[in-house]
């Protein structure tokens, strides 16, 4: 006869309680492992002669000291301004402060989307190690994604709180600024959390110039521009944000609440979808890769799929956002400057040179003659025309430089109502100068195949760019003609240098 054993409710509850305690202990242990591993990564990257405990103590005390010092400096500066030159314009200062909070929040959210932060979890090289150690992915997301995002948004909240406390007053405009700032910060915090969870639940992919990212940057710029155009005309008036807040504040709070709620719901959905299998490196690449039969498509795809391409894409998206801001604020533009038209054009050409260097250098590091010359030679040996290869390459390089100059041209036209065609020519000159300088100096290739840093290459580039300084000594109209001729000369020189290197390339193999 079988005997049935009965389990008392007290014993069953005890076992359940013990299981919960063990599960909580395992979660704490997993988090400690990830915390120590992250500390080891930082110590190893910075080559600090510290133990992990020493580094944590240094990080804690250093963060506290830095926070106290920054708070004292910021609060003291705001207090001096409040009691000094701004004591009669408190409401206008509050409007400026809200505008600063809005721009900071928008920049924080956008950086979560377009910067390397989006790869903090799914793009970490230790992901397979964490999977082999059976560390739960949610714990990895908390340590590598959510906590850094919490620090960044917490800094926004703290800065806004200090600013609002310094300018504390019992007025309607102050209350309206507080409500508007809280609405913006709540939305920014929930949007950052959603971005972290969304990118942690999808395979790591480098950012490219996808139309969705471009639309997001343009929409965000238009929104910021519209708010700026609404607030700036009222900054000179007292009670600017709200003698009558009905047309502005309720709509902002409602929109922020709806967007925050949507972000939270989508974040919860992404949290439930967290799985190593979804972001495994083995499933990162889709099997539906189309063959790249066009030479230009191959070169551009190779650039945008690299880390250099991610840098360029981020810069271009920032440009699109700036253009969106200028378009959204068309009601208060153009801005009238105390400088003359000639001085402004000289300054803008200098800006175009700097921006073009920021784009063309990463581009040439990845798809320049040093990095891809053997690939281009292979294409020529397989039937492509040498002239066609050179024309297409020079076209890609020149278009990248012209795009940087074109951004300066369009921005100056929208913001200052001043056409600066020399800015586009300066961008072209920078790109062509980089190609010629690389062909003359022939810098070595790095271990990953990209162009290594070379002093001679940089010197040649600066020498070839130096004729752009003609704008400082001649009139803008005459300098435009000179820059046009010089840009054509450099483009032809770049084409000749590329063709010679392509046809006279020697194989690395020796028979």
């Amino acid at each position: 006869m079988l005997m049935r054993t009965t389990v008392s409710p007290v014993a069953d509850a005890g076992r359940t309680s013990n299981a919960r305690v063990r599960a909580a202990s395992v979660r704490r242990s997993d988090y400690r492992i990830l915390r120590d591993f992250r500390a080891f990564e930082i110590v190893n990257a910075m080559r600090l002669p510290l133990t992990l405990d020493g580094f944590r103590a240094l990080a804690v005390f250093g963060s506290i000291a830095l926070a106290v010092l920054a708070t004292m400096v910021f609060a003291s500066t705001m207090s001096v301004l409040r009691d000094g030159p701004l004591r009669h314009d408190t409401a206008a200062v509050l409007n400026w402060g809200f505008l600063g909070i809005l721009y900071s929040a928008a920049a924080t959210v956008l950086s979560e989307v377009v910067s390397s932060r989006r790869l903090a979890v799914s793009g970490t090289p230790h992901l397979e190690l964490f999977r082999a150690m059976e560390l739960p992915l949610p714990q990895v997301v908390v340590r590598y994604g959510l906590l850094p995002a919490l620090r960044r948004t917490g800094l926004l909240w703290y800065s806004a709180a200090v600013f609002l406390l310094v300018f504390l007053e019992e007025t309607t405009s102050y209350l309206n600024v507080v409500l508007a700032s809280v609405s913006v910060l709540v939305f920014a915090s929930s949007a950052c959390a959603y971005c972290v969870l969304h990118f942690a639940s999808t395979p790591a992919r480098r950012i490219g110039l996808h139309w969705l990212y471009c639309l997001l940057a343009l929409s965000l710029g238009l929104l910021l521009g519209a708010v700026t155009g609404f607030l700036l005309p009222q900054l000179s008036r007292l009670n600017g944000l709200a003698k009558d807040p009905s047309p502005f504040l309720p709509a902002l709070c409602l929109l922020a609440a709806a967007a925050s709620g949507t972000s939270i719901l989508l974040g919860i959905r992404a949290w439930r979808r967290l799985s190593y299998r979804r972001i495994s490196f083995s499933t990162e690449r889709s099997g539906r890769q189309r063959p790249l039969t066009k030479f230009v498509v191959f070169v551009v795809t190779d650039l945008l799929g690299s880390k250099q391409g991610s840098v360029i894409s981020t810069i271009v998206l920032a440009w699109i956002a700036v253009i969106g801001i200028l378009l959204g604020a068309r009601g208060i533009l153009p801005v009238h400057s105390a400088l003359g038209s000639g001085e402004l054009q000289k300054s803008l050409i200098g800006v175009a040179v700097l921006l073009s260097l920021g784009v063309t250098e990463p581009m040439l590091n990845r798809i320049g003659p040093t990095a891809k010359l053997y690939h281009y030679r292979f294409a020529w040996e397989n039937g492509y025309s040498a002239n066609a290869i050179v024309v297409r390459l020079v076209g890609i390089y020149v278009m990248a430089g012209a795009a940087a100059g074109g951004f300066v041209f369009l921005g100056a036209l929208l913001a200052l109502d001043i056409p600066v065609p020399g800015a586009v020519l300066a961008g072209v000159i920078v790109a062509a100068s980089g190609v010629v300088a690389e062909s003359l100096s022939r810098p070595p290739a790095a271990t990953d195949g990209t162009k290594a840093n070379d002093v001679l290459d940089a010197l040649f580039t600066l020498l070839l760019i130096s004729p752009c300084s003609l704008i400082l000594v001649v009139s803008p109209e005459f300098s435009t003609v000179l820059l046009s001729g010089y840009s054509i000369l450099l483009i032809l020189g770049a084409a000749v240098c590329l063709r010679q290197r392509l046809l006279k390339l020697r194989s690395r193999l020796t028979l």
Side-chain angles (χ1 to χ4, degrees):
M1 183 175 180
L2 297 174
M3 300 289 294
R4 292 186 177 180
T5 59
T6 60
V7 181
S8 65
V10 176
D12 185 55
R15 281 198 294 269
T16 303
S17 177
N18 291 335
R20 290 176 179 174
V21 171
R22 286 195 297 269
S25 177
V26 170
R27 285 195 296 269
R28 286 194 296 270
S29 177
D30 291 338
Y31 179 77
R32 290 194 197 100
I33 293 173
L34 289 167
R35 180 196 63 187
D36 293 342
F37 191 87
R38 180 57 183 159
F40 169 76
E41 283 184 304
I42 298 174
V43 170
N44 185 58
M46 300 180 67
R47 300 185 182 276
L48 298 175
L50 296 173
T51 63
L52 294 184
D53 291 335
F55 171 74
R56 281 196 293 269
L58 178 64
V60 170
F61 289 111
S63 300
I64 293 174
L66 184 62
V68 171
L69 180 62
T71 302
M72 292 177 59
V73 172
F74 182 67
S76 301
T77 304
M78 292 296 103
S79 298
V80 170
L81 293 176
R82 178 199 60 193
D83 299 332
L86 303 179
R87 60 181 178 273
H88 300 301
D89 296 321
T90 305
V93 174
L94 289 175
N95 287 350
W96 275 107
F98 170 70
L99 202 60
I101 292 171
L102 179 65
Y103 271 85
S104 300
T108 303
V109 175
L110 188 62
S111 67
E112 295 289 340
V113 177
V114 303
S115 70
S116 59
R117 295 172 186 171
R118 61 197 296 273
L119 304 177
V121 177
S122 59
T124 176
H126 309 297
L127 193 63
E128 292 298 323
L129 174 62
F130 297 153
R131 182 178 184 178
M133 296 173 64
E134 296 183 351
L135 295 173
L137 184 58
Q139 294 274 20
V140 179
V141 173
V142 169
R143 181 59 192 88
Y144 279 77
L146 289 177
L147 279 182
L150 179 62
R151 294 193 193 102
R152 292 187 287 270
T153 54
L155 183 61
L156 276 179
W157 280 92
Y158 185 71
S159 302
V162 172
F163 171 79
L164 293 173
L165 284 175
V166 169
F167 289 92
L168 177 64
E169 58 180 22
E170 296 180 359
T171 60
T172 305
S173 61
Y174 177 82
L175 180 61
N176 290 329
V177 171
V178 171
L179 290 176
S181 302
V182 170
S183 300
V184 170
L185 291 175
V186 168
F187 168 66
S189 302
S190 57
C192 288
Y194 165 69
C195 290
V196 170
L197 294 173
H198 170 72
F199 291 120
S201 61
T202 55
R205 294 185 180 90
R206 296 196 181 275
I207 189 171
L209 292 178
H210 195 274
W211 68 270
L212 284 177
Y213 292 119
C214 296
L215 181 61
L216 174 64
L218 182 61
S219 302
L220 187 61
L222 289 172
L223 177 62
L224 290 176
V227 174
T228 304
F230 173 79
L231 288 179
L232 281 182
Q234 307 186 46
L235 292 181
S236 59
R237 303 185 229 156
L238 295 179
N239 299 325
L241 243 189
K243 258 190 169 177
D244 181 17
S246 55
F248 173 71
L249 191 60
L252 175 64
C253 294
L254 182 61
L255 181 63
S260 301
T262 304
S263 299
I264 292 172
L265 292 177
L266 292 176
I268 294 173
R269 180 172 176 266
W271 176 269
R272 291 177 177 175
R273 291 190 295 121
L274 290 175
S275 171
Y276 279 112
R277 184 175 298 177
R278 286 181 177 271
I279 59 176
S280 175
F281 293 147
S282 61
T283 60
E284 177 184 352
R285 297 174 178 84
S286 174
R288 300 179 300 167
Q289 293 182 351
R290 295 175 295 178
L292 300 178
T293 56
K294 294 184 178 180
F295 180 79
V296 174
V297 176
F298 162 74
V299 175
V300 175
T301 304
D302 182 78
L303 173 63
L304 296 180
S306 63
K307 61 181 181 180
Q308 292 84 3
S310 297
V311 173
I312 294 174
S313 299
T314 303
I315 294 173
V316 173
L317 291 175
W319 291 351
I320 294 175
V322 171
I323 294 300
I325 292 174
L326 295 177
L327 289 174
R330 285 296 292 165
I332 59 173
L333 297 177
V335 176
H336 299 288
S337 174
L339 297 176
S341 176
E343 286 75 10
L344 283 176
Q345 291 195 34
K346 296 175 184 179
S347 303
L348 291 170
I349 288 179
V351 172
V353 170
L354 294 178
L355 290 180
S356 301
L357 284 172
V359 171
T360 57
E361 282 303 307
M363 175 188 65
L364 293 177
N365 282 349
R366 180 66 186 184
I367 60 171
T370 300
K372 295 295 179 182
L373 189 59
Y374 283 90
H375 299 75
Y376 305 150
R377 173 69 178 226
F378 179 79
W380 173 67
E381 291 176 351
N382 280 270
Y384 276 91
S385 169
N387 292 332
I389 293 175
V390 169
V391 168
R392 284 165 173 77
L393 286 176
V394 172
I396 293 173
Y397 301 150
V398 169
M399 287 298 296
F407 163 72
V408 176
F409 175 84
L410 185 58
L413 192 63
L414 292 174
L416 303 171
D417 198 22
I418 297 177
V420 190
V424 180
L425 297 174
V428 172
I429 288 173
V430 170
S433 299
V435 177
V436 175
E438 187 173 335
S439 300
L440 295 176
S441 62
R442 303 202 176 188
T447 54
D448 59 353
T450 59
K451 183 183 72 171
N453 295 327
D454 186 73
V455 176
L456 194 60
D457 177 36
L459 180 61
F460 281 156
T461 302
L462 293 177
L463 288 176
L464 291 171
I465 294 173
S466 58
C468 291
S469 59
L470 287 173
I471 186 68
L472 299 176
V473 295
V474 298
S475 64
E477 294 78 11
F478 186 57
S479 67
T480 301
V481 177
L482 294 178
L483 291 178
S484 300
Y486 186 59
S487 63
I488 294 174
L489 181 64
L490 276 180
I491 290 174
L492 295 176
V496 172
C497 291
L498 273 177
R499 193 174 190 281
Q500 290 298 315
R501 291 196 67 184
L502 180 66
L503 297 181
K504 295 185 177 181
L505 179 65
R506 294 182 180 180
S507 175
R508 292 174 180 173
L509 299 177
T510 57
L511 300 178

